[in-house]
Structures are given as structure tokens and as C-alpha cells.
Amino acid sequence: QVQLVESGGGLVQAGGSLRLSCSVSGRTFSRYVMGWFRQAPGKERDFVAGLNWSAGSTVYADSVRGRFTISRDTAKNTVYLQMNSLKPEDTAVYYCAADREGKYVSSRSRAYEYWGQGTQVTVSS
């Protein structure tokens, strides 16, 4: 019912920037929550940032606050993750996720029903 497609990943030097996009298609409810997660090899999938689509409110993990910005374009049904001042420890596969009918942003991956395929972000030192 809901499809998510990420794009924008790549290889960048430490201190550089990338902008990830997540296109949302299919049927959606009037209110839902979008989140970005990342997973490095051999590690847990961790919350990065999230937003309440209708309210525009945002939540960030401590590790990215001040460097990353999550935003939405309602006309394009797209959520973005602007990543600045990238560090090698940001290297991971980044996933967007949707919590249909969500009232608030959750940092728990299990709260999200729909997931994109992931896009690789590699930050070199």
C-alpha cells in the first residue's frame, strides 16, 4: 500500500555533505510519521531522525543533531535527510521508514510498518 524508495547515497570525504531522498507513493493516511535509520555492518539498525508529516515536528539522534536535517516536500511526497559535516562513523546503509497513522516520532524500528530498500553512505577519512 505504501512504497518507499531512497536515493542520494554515495561516497564522500569526512566533512562533506550528502542529501538523501525518500519518495513516498501509494495510499497514505492523513497523518503518518517518517523516519531515517542506518545500519553499519555487524551493528544494530539505529534511529537517525524522524518527522511528523502533518505537523512538521522533528526528532534527532544525539549523534547527528546539529549536523543532519530532516525535512519534507508535501507536493512531491518526499522526505529528505540533509547530512553535513559527515564523519567516518556515519558510514552505513540508510533506510527511510513510514509509520502509518503515527502520532509521534518513534526511535524504535519496530514502530515503522514500511521500509525502503536502503542506500549506501560511505564517508572516508
Side-chain angles (χ1 to χ4, degrees):
Q1 188 174 22
V2 177
Q3 296 83 44
L4 309 176
V5 180
E6 304 101 330
S7 62
L11 193 153
V12 65
Q13 281 192 313
S17 299
L18 284 174
R19 187 198 197 197
L20 305 183
S21 299
C22 177
S23 176
V24 183
S25 62
R27 292 185 177 273
T28 59
F29 292 89
S30 298
R31 56 180 179 86
Y32 56 97
V33 168
M34 298 295 301
W36 284 99
F37 290 77
R38 66 187 182 186
Q39 187 168 24
K43 296 187 176 181
E44 300 283 344
R45 184 171 296 185
D46 291 329
F47 174 79
V48 176
L51 67 80
N52 181 298
W53 189 275
S54 59
S57 55
T58 59
V59 177
Y60 296 94
D62 290 342
S63 59
V64 306
R65 188 175 294 108
R67 299 188 297 123
F68 292 9
T69 303
I70 186 171
S71 62
R72 74 199 193 283
D73 186 329
T74 57
K76 296 181 178 180
N77 281 337
T78 300
V79 62
Y80 303 97
L81 185 68
Q82 178 66 48
M83 305 185 294
N84 299 326
S85 301
L86 283 162
K87 305 174 181 179
E89 51 262 44
D90 295 319
T91 295
V93 176
Y94 284 70
Y95 299 89
C96 65
D99 174 14
R100 192 173 61 182
E101 298 183 271
K103 293 184 178 180
Y104 53 88
V105 174
S106 174
S107 63
R108 300 285 187 174
S109 61
R110 67 177 62 189
Y112 296 83
E113 301 171 281
Y114 304 99
W115 293 83
Q117 82 288 351
T119 186
Q120 176 71 47
V121 172
T122 302
V123 184
S124 64
S125 59

